[in-house]
Amino acid sequence: MTHDIRIRRSKRWAAVFVSILAVVGLLAGCGGAKPGSHKSTGSTGGATTASSKAVTIDVKNFSFNPQTVSVATGTKVTWDFQDSVNHNVTANDKSFKSKDLGKGGSYSYTFNKAGSYSYLCTIHQYMTGTVTVK
């Protein structure tokens, strides 16, 4: 009985934590970034469309930023890990997987086949993202 109560409390705190992260992420997205300061170009409705053959996704504040990117086939996507805790990048279809990486680490994968690739951090499964390859 006590164990069930602890699990419910834990789930409630996890939900509160995720909600706070979502609000922080939205507020951070409203900041005034300098033009050209982001490593990918052409933002559309929360998604980023890359015009070059290289895109960088920042892994910080327990989120992938940008969370959704659209790229051409042959594009190399690099995840730069900036949090002080470890994260990883794991494709839902297991087509790519990084090891657990902390601040200063990076992982790259070249997308050579069109499709939609959903991924997450298996340590913090609420951290998700999608790369759409056209």
Side-chain angles (χ1 to χ4, degrees):
M1 179 84 172
T2 311
H3 182 67
D4 291 337
I5 291 170
R6 278 191 236 149
I7 290 173
R8 279 183 280 191
R9 281 186 191 152
S10 177
K11 286 182 180 179
R12 269 187 277 170
W13 279 111
V16 168
F17 182 70
V18 169
S19 297
I20 290 170
L21 285 176
V23 170
V24 169
L26 288 173
L27 292 174
C30 294
K34 296 177 187 172
S37 65
H38 201 278
K39 296 173 183 159
S40 55
T41 59
S43 181
T44 310
T48 299
T49 303
S51 60
S52 68
K53 289 291 184 176
V55 173
T56 300
I57 297 173
D58 295 326
V59 183
K60 67 180 182 178
N61 299 324
F62 290 85
S63 64
F64 298 110
N65 186 26
Q67 186 176 18
T68 304
V69 296
S70 293
V71 300
T73 56
T75 300
K76 178 181 177 180
V77 176
T78 300
W79 288 264
D80 279 339
F81 293 80
Q82 300 173 17
D83 272 342
S84 58
V85 299
N86 284 351
H87 299 292
N88 62 52
V89 178
T90 303
N92 291 357
D93 67 1
K94 309 295 185 227
S95 58
F96 57 90
K97 180 177 179 17
S98 74
K99 57 185 176 178
D100 297 347
L101 297 166
K103 190 171 191 163
S106 68
Y107 171 76
S108 297
Y109 183 81
T110 301
F111 290 88
N112 291 315
K113 184 177 175 188
S116 181
Y117 298 85
S118 296
Y119 63 90
L120 75 156
C121 169
T122 60
I123 302 170
H124 309 99
Q125 295 185 7
Y126 52 86
M127 292 175 59
T128 62
T130 304
V131 176
T132 303
V133 183
K134 297 179 180 181

